[in-house]
Amino acid sequence: MASVTLTNAGINWSDSQTPTSAGSTQSEILDSYEEGVWTPTSAVGTLSAHHAVYTKVGRLVQINSRLTFGSTSNSTTQTVNGFPFTSYSGAYGAGSVGYSAYTAKALKITIFGDVSSMSLYAHDSTGGLNAAALNSKRIDFTIHYIV
């Protein structure tokens, strides 16, 4: 019978792998778990954040928040900074918007490699969503990315 063991290095699944499906020793040990809060900031203008939390399991980070953007007429692309960890340079992350007061189009969230921020886009656009379009709007979201 397969077993999972707890060691000083972390949780080890290597006993539960068959020789043909076993990966490297590093991939079989979960050695990082963390929960906490993060402080979102706006690259353009102000925002208020509620329930800005994260969970990190191994290299996977999930962040959640409810943001309300301040009043602005700035046409610069809206970026939210302050992620708890910098994303891995060789990967992109993505998010889902559970609620949005921005009703013109669906929103999409992109996390580029080697950053600690997200960019907001209208669903059918390749350009970023400008801050004025989110003037006094609220969004609730969840994001996953690799560190």
Side-chain angles (χ1 to χ4, degrees), residues 6-63:
L6 181 60
T7 68
N8 289 340
I11 300 172
N12 186 340
W13 278 275
S14 61
D15 288 343
S16 64
Q17 299 289 322
T18 62
T20 58
S21 66
S24 69
T25 302
Q26 190 68 6
S27 68
E28 297 167 353
I29 297 177
L30 174 61
D31 59 356
S32 176
Y33 179 87
E34 184 177 332
E35 293 181 343
V37 297
W38 63 289
T39 306
T41 59
S42 173
V44 182
T46 61
L47 61 80
S48 62
H50 304 281
H51 191 69
V53 296
Y54 72 88
T55 303
K56 179 179 177 281
V57 180
R59 295 181 55 212
L60 179 65
V61 178
Q62 174 180 304
I63 64 173

Side-chain angles (χ1 to χ4, degrees), residues 53-105:
V53 296
Y54 72 88
T55 303
K56 179 179 177 281
V57 180
R59 295 181 55 212
L60 179 65
V61 178
Q62 174 180 304
I63 64 173
N64 303 345
S65 189
R66 171 184 293 169
L67 302 179
T68 303
F69 296 94
S71 179
T72 184
S73 59
N74 194 316
S75 62
T76 303
T77 298
Q78 183 58 269
T79 302
V80 177
N81 302 315
F83 281 16
F85 304 95
T86 299
S87 62
Y88 173 64
S89 63
Y92 290 90
S96 62
V97 177
Y99 169 82
S100 173
Y102 176 76
T103 57
K105 298 178 181 175

Side-chain angles (χ1 to χ4, degrees), residues 78-138:
Q78 183 58 269
T79 302
V80 177
N81 302 315
F83 281 16
F85 304 95
T86 299
S87 62
Y88 173 64
S89 63
Y92 290 90
S96 62
V97 177
Y99 169 82
S100 173
Y102 176 76
T103 57
K105 298 178 181 175
L107 293 178
K108 63 181 178 179
I109 298 171
T110 301
I111 300 93
F112 296 102
D114 202 26
V115 298
S116 57
S117 62
M118 70 180 189
S119 299
L120 295 165
Y121 296 86
H123 184 66
D124 61 352
S125 171
T126 57
L129 195 59
N130 70 55
L134 293 168
N135 186 15
S136 302
K137 302 283 192 273
R138 180 186 119 194

